[in-house]
Amino acid sequence: MKIRDVEFTEFISEAEISAKVSQLASEINRHYADRSPVFLPVLNGAFMFAADLIKHIEVPCKVSFVKFASYEGLTSTGQLKSLIGLDESLFKQDVIVVEDIVDTGLTLEKIIAELESLGTRSVEVVTLLRKKTAREKNISVRFTGFDIDDEFVLGYGLDYDGLGRNHRQLFRAVRP
Ligand code: IMP
């Protein structure tokens, strides 16, 4: 499959993703057996993963989406995009951040810092994919689907230049 200038090849099938999502949901059901967590999927990439994961959650739960505003603010570094969707209703809540992929961990660091400043009771992270960089940096992720190498992936919510989120399976970029 080709998107713009890049060739992609199938990486993780729909069946493998589905099995992993059920397994992650079981771990979360066990961990939160006597609690009522709030899922916080990070848009846009986590929308498909979050929808599938939350269908398997059996404890009472809430869902609230967050997103990084697309403008870059006053900085040229691109690191200070503001986060929208967080509010005081998360005070004393057990929050589960739902990510599609953790790469450098910068996105998560920012979300976790903001959540803690709102007085949450606990914050854990579930991610479908975790790249090597995140493992080397010891970014704390409680529930991880697949540990992958540092390669560019697409599909199942993840995009390349806005395209490719619609696919049921994951693809990876073929190196030239
Ligand atoms: P981090 O802040 O470097 O951990 O990056 C996390 C965000 O970058 C993810 O939520 C994705 O939106 C995006 N991202 C990182 N790697 C990939 C990739 O391989 N494909 C598509 N998006 C990615």
Side-chain angles (χ1 to χ4, degrees):
M1 177 177 74
K2 195 163 185 173
I3 294 194
R4 300 226 193 274
D5 49 335
V6 181
E7 186 66 34
F8 288 89
T9 181
E10 185 166 321
F11 180 36
I12 303 177
S13 70
E14 186 181 0
E16 286 173 291
I17 294 172
S18 169
K20 188 64 82 175
V21 169
S22 308
Q23 185 194 318
L24 287 171
S26 301
E27 286 175 38
I28 292 172
N29 284 328
R30 271 198 304 279
H31 192 80
Y32 290 89
D34 47 7
R35 282 183 285 171
S36 180
V38 182
F39 287 92
L40 219 67
V42 184
L43 294 173
N44 294 323
F47 79 97
M48 204 176 279
F49 172 47
D52 286 345
L53 179 79
I54 293 165
K55 282 181 223 165
H56 295 282
I57 296 301
E58 288 160 2
V59 296
C61 63
K62 293 182 179 174
V63 185
S64 178
F65 293 85
V66 294
K67 185 176 169 70
F68 281 93
S70 53
Y71 63 88
E72 303 274 327
L74 295 176
T75 171
S76 57
T77 66
Q79 287 185 13
L80 283 181
K81 289 183 183 176
S82 64
L83 190 60
I84 48 182
L86 287 180
D87 60 47
E88 65 286 350
S89 66
L90 297 174
F91 181 65
K92 290 202 172 157
Q93 297 297 304
D94 293 305
V95 175
I96 307 175
V97 179
V98 185
E99 266 283 22
D100 50 353
I101 187 163
V102 183
D103 182 2
T104 63
L106 286 173
T107 308
L108 268 187
E109 273 173 17
K110 174 153 187 180
I111 294 173
I112 290 169
E114 292 211 23
L115 284 171
E116 285 172 352
S117 76
L118 286 172
T120 46
R121 180 158 52 203
S122 67
V123 179
E124 298 288 4
V125 179
V126 56
T127 185
L128 181 67
L129 301 157
R130 185 171 60 158
K131 286 194 188 177
K132 210 164 140 196
T133 317
R135 298 198 291 284
E136 285 166 359
K137 283 180 67 185
N138 269 330
I139 302 295
S140 157
V141 176
R142 184 76 176 71
F143 309 98
T144 300
F146 302 96
D147 273 319
I148 64 169
D149 286 338
D150 282 334
E151 49 196 346
F152 192 83
V153 294
L154 161 147
Y156 198 67
L158 290 100
D159 74 304
Y160 170 52
D161 201 13
L163 296 169
R165 297 191 196 274
N166 51 308
H167 296 282
R168 292 158 178 252
Q169 62 278 78
L170 283 155
F171 293 82
R172 65 181 169 79
V174 180
R175 288 177 198 279

